Structures are given as C-alpha cells and as structure tokens.
Amino acid sequence: MTHRIPMAGVLGAPVAHSQSPKLHGYWLRRYGIEGHYVPIHVEQSDLEEVIRAMPKMGFVGANVTIPHKEAVLGLADIVTDRAALIGAANTLIFRSDGKLHADNTDGFGFTENLRANSDWDPKAGPAAVLGAGGASRAVIASLIEMGVPEIRLSNRTRTRSDALRHEFGTKISVVEWVNAGDMLDGATTVINTTALGMVGQEELKINLDKLSPKAVVTDIVYTPLRTKLLEDAAAIGCQTVDGLGMLLYQAVPGFERWFGTRPEVDAATRDHILNT
Ligand code: ATR
C-alpha cells in the first residue's frame, strides 16, 4: 500500500472558532509527526455524505462539535459506552476495517483536568453541578464513573435537571436555580457547566456563603480563564481549576488514536493555545 499522510479534522457548523486545529497542529509539529488536522464546516444535511467520504480522502478520524455531536451516534457502527451514556460523541475513528467508531472524551477531559491540577478526591463528598445542558451530561457521567457519592444539580430550566435525574438515577438530587447556593453546603466538588461568566454572557450569580474551603471548584468556561466563580472561590480558600485544561485533555485520546503518540498537556501547550 502506498504511504498516506494521516489526516484528521473537526466537523462543525460553525467551526471557525474551534481551538482544535491549533491544538492538534501544535502537537503534530511538536512530535514531528507527518499529518494534518483541519477545520471542516459541514451542514447537518451533508453530515453523512461527508463522513462516509472522509476515510477515502485519507482521514483517520475526526472531532465533532456543535451541532453534530448527537447525530453522529446514528451513523456510527461502534459507540463506546460512555458516548452512549452521554448521548453524544466528540471523537470519531475511521477504522481500517471500514467501521466508524464514536467515542466521547469530554468527561475524560473534565476528570483529567481536575486530577492534574488539584488534589481532587471525587469520593470525598457531594458534588454540586450548575447547568443541565450537553456539557453537564458529560460531567455527570464521569462523576458517577469516578464514584462521587452524591450529585446535587441545579439548572435555570428545572425540566432539564429533572430529566437528568430521571436518566442518571438516584445519586442525583435537583435543587431550584434560585436556591443554587444551598447545594454548596458540604460539597467537595463544584462545577459550573453553564455558559454564565463567559465573555459576552451574564455573570453567574450564586451565593457562596455555604462554600467550604475544602471544595475543589472548576468552571468549563475558559474565556476568561479566571472566571468570577473561580476568583471568589479562591478568595474563600478553595483550590480552583480553570476550564482550559478540559479542552486540552479531551483532545488527548483522539490524537493518540489517530497519530500514534500520546500528547502531553503541559504549560507549553497551554501557552500555545492562549498566546498564539
Ligand atoms: P452546553 O452543551 O455547553 O452545555 P447547552 O446544552 O446549550 O450547552 O446548555 C447550556 C447551559 O447553560 C444550560 O444549563 C442552560 O440553562 P437552561 O437549560 O435553563 O437553558 C445554561 N444557561 C445558559 N444561559 C443561561 C442564563 N442566562 N441563565 C442561567 N443558565 C443559563
């Protein structure tokens, strides 16, 4: 067989804002790997046609972002347990036997980020989760996998948090959005999975009076890196972990599968994403 340069990319609409090409491109150069990673804007109606054609063009895999993360599950031959549980995939592998493999590494990114950047012990006590959207599903699935004893969940739209409780089971209790501060009492892990606090969005308004300094607090928002939640929690004495690490770590399993090297997430990687 002739030598083909492996290619991967990110499928989305829009896709221009994605940091993935920058991140994977950096790792390819850093490890001297002959390969390419490109942004691919694809509309929903073209998704299947594009995915079916990609292996023939030399693609070994792809990341998937909004709005295709759910739809790709229906096209895949093999769906990992964690992708099925979350109901969405962010990482595709075009296997040499022609089968399409779909995985979700968002939860892995979330837990690796906390493990690498704090003394996080998932089993130490209850987790408090703000938000019940797509990111929240990945976070909740991995919290359960990590053995968190109890999950308290609060979301502006109550029906969405109730639906997650129904789906993920009795470890989850739902707290009214107006009382979100109450669920911080005794919580040892606190996660904002909403877009609140992001540049251009409203601030997350939550009463931190009950937040213990023993809690590890993280935010999936990474613009700004230091959200008001993280700043306020740090002032109380909590360990805080910014959201950029989740983005970086979720990319590790895909890069390794496609290009054969496990990439390292380190200060140079962060610096490249933040400053170039
Ligand atoms: P993602 O995949 O990033 O989680 P999403 O599924 O659109 O995106 O979910 C966004 C989350 O941010 C939801 O929890 C949403 O709350 P609702 O379910 O009530 O919409 C939350 N969110 C967004 N804007 C918000 C706001 N202004 N106030 C409170 N919550 C907000």
PDB file of all heavy atoms in Angstrom, residues 131-136 155-157 160 177 193-196 201-202 220, ligand 1:
ATOM      1  N   GLY A 131     -26.027  23.715  35.924  1.00  0.00           N
ATOM      2  CA  GLY A 131     -26.294  23.563  34.498  1.00  0.00           C
ATOM      3  C   GLY A 131     -26.678  22.139  34.143  1.00  0.00           C
ATOM      4  O   GLY A 131     -26.216  21.184  34.779  1.00  0.00           O
ATOM      5  N   ALA A 132     -27.541  21.992  33.133  1.00  0.00           N
ATOM      6  CA  ALA A 132     -28.027  20.666  32.740  1.00  0.00           C
ATOM      7  C   ALA A 132     -28.065  20.524  31.223  1.00  0.00           C
ATOM      8  O   ALA A 132     -28.947  19.866  30.663  1.00  0.00           O
ATOM      9  CB  ALA A 132     -29.409  20.423  33.347  1.00  0.00           C
ATOM     10  N   GLY A 133     -27.088  21.124  30.536  1.00  0.00           N
ATOM     11  CA  GLY A 133     -27.001  21.008  29.080  1.00  0.00           C
ATOM     12  C   GLY A 133     -26.085  19.865  28.674  1.00  0.00           C
ATOM     13  O   GLY A 133     -25.856  18.929  29.443  1.00  0.00           O
ATOM     14  N   GLY A 134     -25.549  19.965  27.454  1.00  0.00           N
ATOM     15  CA  GLY A 134     -24.705  18.891  26.921  1.00  0.00           C
ATOM     16  C   GLY A 134     -23.448  18.679  27.747  1.00  0.00           C
ATOM     17  O   GLY A 134     -23.060  17.533  28.025  1.00  0.00           O
ATOM     18  N   ALA A 135     -22.801  19.749  28.152  1.00  0.00           N
ATOM     19  CA  ALA A 135     -21.566  19.625  28.927  1.00  0.00           C
ATOM     20  C   ALA A 135     -21.856  18.987  30.285  1.00  0.00           C
ATOM     21  O   ALA A 135     -21.068  18.182  30.785  1.00  0.00           O
ATOM     22  CB  ALA A 135     -20.927  20.998  29.113  1.00  0.00           C
ATOM     23  N   SER A 136     -22.993  19.327  30.857  1.00  0.00           N
ATOM     24  CA  SER A 136     -23.374  18.777  32.149  1.00  0.00           C
ATOM     25  C   SER A 136     -23.537  17.258  32.080  1.00  0.00           C
ATOM     26  O   SER A 136     -23.134  16.534  32.990  1.00  0.00           O
ATOM     27  CB  SER A 136     -24.680  19.424  32.619  1.00  0.00           C
ATOM     28  OG  SER A 136     -25.098  18.867  33.831  1.00  0.00           O
ATOM     29  N   ASN A 155     -30.355  23.879  37.696  1.00  0.00           N
ATOM     30  CA  ASN A 155     -30.397  24.452  36.347  1.00  0.00           C
ATOM     31  C   ASN A 155     -31.542  25.451  36.268  1.00  0.00           C
ATOM     32  O   ASN A 155     -32.570  25.282  36.918  1.00  0.00           O
ATOM     33  CB  ASN A 155     -30.631  23.327  35.319  1.00  0.00           C
ATOM     34  CG  ASN A 155     -30.433  23.805  33.901  1.00  0.00           C
ATOM     35  OD1 ASN A 155     -29.378  24.342  33.578  1.00  0.00           O
ATOM     36  ND2 ASN A 155     -31.440  23.628  33.056  1.00  0.00           N
ATOM     37  N   ARG A 156     -31.331  26.499  35.463  1.00  0.00           N
ATOM     38  CA  ARG A 156     -32.382  27.518  35.315  1.00  0.00           C
ATOM     39  C   ARG A 156     -33.695  26.865  34.897  1.00  0.00           C
ATOM     40  O   ARG A 156     -34.754  27.147  35.468  1.00  0.00           O
ATOM     41  CB  ARG A 156     -31.933  28.546  34.263  1.00  0.00           C
ATOM     42  CG  ARG A 156     -32.974  29.576  33.935  1.00  0.00           C
ATOM     43  CD  ARG A 156     -32.489  30.531  32.875  1.00  0.00           C
ATOM     44  NE  ARG A 156     -32.129  29.845  31.634  1.00  0.00           N
ATOM     45  CZ  ARG A 156     -31.683  30.460  30.552  1.00  0.00           C
ATOM     46  NH1 ARG A 156     -31.537  31.769  30.544  1.00  0.00           N
ATOM     47  NH2 ARG A 156     -31.384  29.777  29.474  1.00  0.00           N
ATOM     48  N   THR A 157     -33.641  25.996  33.898  1.00  0.00           N
ATOM     49  CA  THR A 157     -34.844  25.306  33.435  1.00  0.00           C
ATOM     50  C   THR A 157     -34.959  23.976  34.170  1.00  0.00           C
ATOM     51  O   THR A 157     -34.205  23.033  33.911  1.00  0.00           O
ATOM     52  CB  THR A 157     -34.776  25.069  31.908  1.00  0.00           C
ATOM     53  OG1 THR A 157     -34.474  26.317  31.273  1.00  0.00           O
ATOM     54  CG2 THR A 157     -36.075  24.518  31.363  1.00  0.00           C
ATOM     55  N   ARG A 160     -35.032  20.310  32.631  1.00  0.00           N
ATOM     56  CA  ARG A 160     -33.801  19.675  32.122  1.00  0.00           C
ATOM     57  C   ARG A 160     -33.035  18.986  33.250  1.00  0.00           C
ATOM     58  O   ARG A 160     -32.476  17.914  33.048  1.00  0.00           O
ATOM     59  CB  ARG A 160     -32.896  20.724  31.456  1.00  0.00           C
ATOM     60  CG  ARG A 160     -33.438  21.219  30.131  1.00  0.00           C
ATOM     61  CD  ARG A 160     -32.459  22.182  29.478  1.00  0.00           C
ATOM     62  NE  ARG A 160     -31.588  21.519  28.520  1.00  0.00           N
ATOM     63  CZ  ARG A 160     -30.586  22.139  27.890  1.00  0.00           C
ATOM     64  NH1 ARG A 160     -30.318  23.414  28.138  1.00  0.00           N
ATOM     65  NH2 ARG A 160     -29.857  21.498  27.021  1.00  0.00           N
ATOM     66  N   TRP A 177     -33.017  26.595  40.932  1.00  0.00           N
ATOM     67  CA  TRP A 177     -31.971  27.526  40.488  1.00  0.00           C
ATOM     68  C   TRP A 177     -31.816  28.704  41.442  1.00  0.00           C
ATOM     69  O   TRP A 177     -30.704  29.125  41.741  1.00  0.00           O
ATOM     70  CB  TRP A 177     -32.316  27.987  39.067  1.00  0.00           C
ATOM     71  CG  TRP A 177     -31.305  28.859  38.397  1.00  0.00           C
ATOM     72  CD1 TRP A 177     -31.500  30.132  37.960  1.00  0.00           C
ATOM     73  CD2 TRP A 177     -29.946  28.526  38.047  1.00  0.00           C
ATOM     74  NE1 TRP A 177     -30.359  30.614  37.362  1.00  0.00           N
ATOM     75  CE2 TRP A 177     -29.383  29.650  37.405  1.00  0.00           C
ATOM     76  CE3 TRP A 177     -29.153  27.386  38.231  1.00  0.00           C
ATOM     77  CZ2 TRP A 177     -28.069  29.675  36.934  1.00  0.00           C
ATOM     78  CZ3 TRP A 177     -27.850  27.409  37.767  1.00  0.00           C
ATOM     79  CH2 TRP A 177     -27.319  28.544  37.134  1.00  0.00           C
ATOM     80  N   THR A 193     -21.180  24.252  34.649  1.00  0.00           N
ATOM     81  CA  THR A 193     -21.221  23.764  33.261  1.00  0.00           C
ATOM     82  C   THR A 193     -22.055  24.688  32.376  1.00  0.00           C
ATOM     83  O   THR A 193     -22.318  24.371  31.226  1.00  0.00           O
ATOM     84  CB  THR A 193     -21.815  22.332  33.162  1.00  0.00           C
ATOM     85  OG1 THR A 193     -23.237  22.390  33.349  1.00  0.00           O
ATOM     86  CG2 THR A 193     -21.202  21.387  34.180  1.00  0.00           C
ATOM     87  N   THR A 194     -22.516  25.809  32.928  1.00  0.00           N
ATOM     88  CA  THR A 194     -23.284  26.760  32.106  1.00  0.00           C
ATOM     89  C   THR A 194     -22.325  27.719  31.406  1.00  0.00           C
ATOM     90  O   THR A 194     -21.137  27.766  31.718  1.00  0.00           O
ATOM     91  CB  THR A 194     -24.265  27.601  32.951  1.00  0.00           C
ATOM     92  OG1 THR A 194     -23.526  28.602  33.670  1.00  0.00           O
ATOM     93  CG2 THR A 194     -25.074  26.760  33.909  1.00  0.00           C
ATOM     94  N   ALA A 195     -22.886  28.487  30.488  1.00  0.00           N
ATOM     95  CA  ALA A 195     -22.073  29.478  29.775  1.00  0.00           C
ATOM     96  C   ALA A 195     -21.932  30.769  30.581  1.00  0.00           C
ATOM     97  O   ALA A 195     -21.245  31.702  30.150  1.00  0.00           O
ATOM     98  CB  ALA A 195     -22.727  29.765  28.422  1.00  0.00           C
ATOM     99  N   LEU A 196     -22.571  30.820  31.744  1.00  0.00           N
ATOM    100  CA  LEU A 196     -22.540  32.057  32.523  1.00  0.00           C
ATOM    101  C   LEU A 196     -21.133  32.369  33.016  1.00  0.00           C
ATOM    102  O   LEU A 196     -20.423  31.483  33.480  1.00  0.00           O
ATOM    103  CB  LEU A 196     -23.504  31.951  33.703  1.00  0.00           C
ATOM    104  CG  LEU A 196     -24.978  31.837  33.316  1.00  0.00           C
ATOM    105  CD1 LEU A 196     -25.838  31.563  34.542  1.00  0.00           C
ATOM    106  CD2 LEU A 196     -25.447  33.097  32.608  1.00  0.00           C
ATOM    107  N   GLN A 201     -21.365  36.996  28.120  1.00  0.00           N
ATOM    108  CA  GLN A 201     -22.544  36.432  28.790  1.00  0.00           C
ATOM    109  C   GLN A 201     -22.731  37.127  30.137  1.00  0.00           C
ATOM    110  O   GLN A 201     -21.824  37.807  30.615  1.00  0.00           O
ATOM    111  CB  GLN A 201     -22.335  34.941  29.052  1.00  0.00           C
ATOM    112  CG  GLN A 201     -22.209  34.110  27.806  1.00  0.00           C
ATOM    113  CD  GLN A 201     -23.536  33.575  27.311  1.00  0.00           C
ATOM    114  OE1 GLN A 201     -24.534  33.655  28.023  1.00  0.00           O
ATOM    115  NE2 GLN A 201     -23.551  33.056  26.116  1.00  0.00           N
ATOM    116  N   GLU A 202     -23.889  36.873  30.742  1.00  0.00           N
ATOM    117  CA  GLU A 202     -24.093  37.400  32.096  1.00  0.00           C
ATOM    118  C   GLU A 202     -23.153  36.697  33.073  1.00  0.00           C
ATOM    119  O   GLU A 202     -22.675  35.604  32.790  1.00  0.00           O
ATOM    120  CB  GLU A 202     -25.518  37.099  32.577  1.00  0.00           C
ATOM    121  CG  GLU A 202     -26.614  37.838  31.861  1.00  0.00           C
ATOM    122  CD  GLU A 202     -27.962  37.194  32.192  1.00  0.00           C
ATOM    123  OE1 GLU A 202     -28.216  36.899  33.378  1.00  0.00           O
ATOM    124  OE2 GLU A 202     -28.736  36.960  31.254  1.00  0.00           O
ATOM    125  N   ILE A 220     -16.304  25.189  33.336  1.00  0.00           N
ATOM    126  CA  ILE A 220     -15.972  24.780  31.968  1.00  0.00           C
ATOM    127  C   ILE A 220     -15.700  26.005  31.081  1.00  0.00           C
ATOM    128  O   ILE A 220     -15.129  25.884  30.020  1.00  0.00           O
ATOM    129  CB  ILE A 220     -17.036  23.860  31.313  1.00  0.00           C
ATOM    130  CG1 ILE A 220     -18.343  24.601  31.101  1.00  0.00           C
ATOM    131  CG2 ILE A 220     -17.248  22.596  32.116  1.00  0.00           C
ATOM    132  CD1 ILE A 220     -19.143  23.982  29.979  1.00  0.00           C
TER     133      ILE A 220
HETATM  134  P1  ATR B   1     -23.627  23.001  26.555  1.00  0.00           P
HETATM  135  O1  ATR B   1     -23.558  21.901  25.560  1.00  0.00           O
HETATM  136  O2  ATR B   1     -22.451  23.928  26.507  1.00  0.00           O
HETATM  137  O3  ATR B   1     -23.886  22.522  27.935  1.00  0.00           O
HETATM  138  P2  ATR B   1     -26.392  23.829  26.303  1.00  0.00           P
HETATM  139  O4  ATR B   1     -26.842  22.408  26.120  1.00  0.00           O
HETATM  140  O5  ATR B   1     -26.999  24.871  25.451  1.00  0.00           O
HETATM  141  O6  ATR B   1     -24.835  23.945  26.069  1.00  0.00           O
HETATM  142  O7  ATR B   1     -26.556  24.219  27.857  1.00  0.00           O
HETATM  143  C1  ATR B   1     -26.288  25.488  28.320  1.00  0.00           C
HETATM  144  C2  ATR B   1     -26.434  25.515  29.830  1.00  0.00           C
HETATM  145  O8  ATR B   1     -26.221  26.865  30.282  1.00  0.00           O
HETATM  146  C3  ATR B   1     -27.818  25.127  30.319  1.00  0.00           C
HETATM  147  O9  ATR B   1     -27.724  24.566  31.606  1.00  0.00           O
HETATM  148  C4  ATR B   1     -28.515  26.486  30.369  1.00  0.00           C
HETATM  149  O10 ATR B   1     -29.640  26.552  31.199  1.00  0.00           O
HETATM  150  P3  ATR B   1     -31.120  26.249  30.579  1.00  0.00           P
HETATM  151  O11 ATR B   1     -31.232  24.767  30.490  1.00  0.00           O
HETATM  152  O12 ATR B   1     -32.052  26.859  31.549  1.00  0.00           O
HETATM  153  O13 ATR B   1     -31.145  26.933  29.230  1.00  0.00           O
HETATM  154  C5  ATR B   1     -27.404  27.335  30.934  1.00  0.00           C
HETATM  155  N1  ATR B   1     -27.605  28.760  30.673  1.00  0.00           N
HETATM  156  C6  ATR B   1     -27.349  29.435  29.525  1.00  0.00           C
HETATM  157  N2  ATR B   1     -27.649  30.744  29.660  1.00  0.00           N
HETATM  158  C7  ATR B   1     -28.132  30.907  30.933  1.00  0.00           C
HETATM  159  C8  ATR B   1     -28.609  32.008  31.702  1.00  0.00           C
HETATM  160  N3  ATR B   1     -28.672  33.243  31.184  1.00  0.00           N
HETATM  161  N4  ATR B   1     -29.002  31.785  32.968  1.00  0.00           N
HETATM  162  C9  ATR B   1     -28.945  30.546  33.511  1.00  0.00           C
HETATM  163  N5  ATR B   1     -28.492  29.457  32.843  1.00  0.00           N
HETATM  164  C10 ATR B   1     -28.098  29.634  31.580  1.00  0.00           C
END
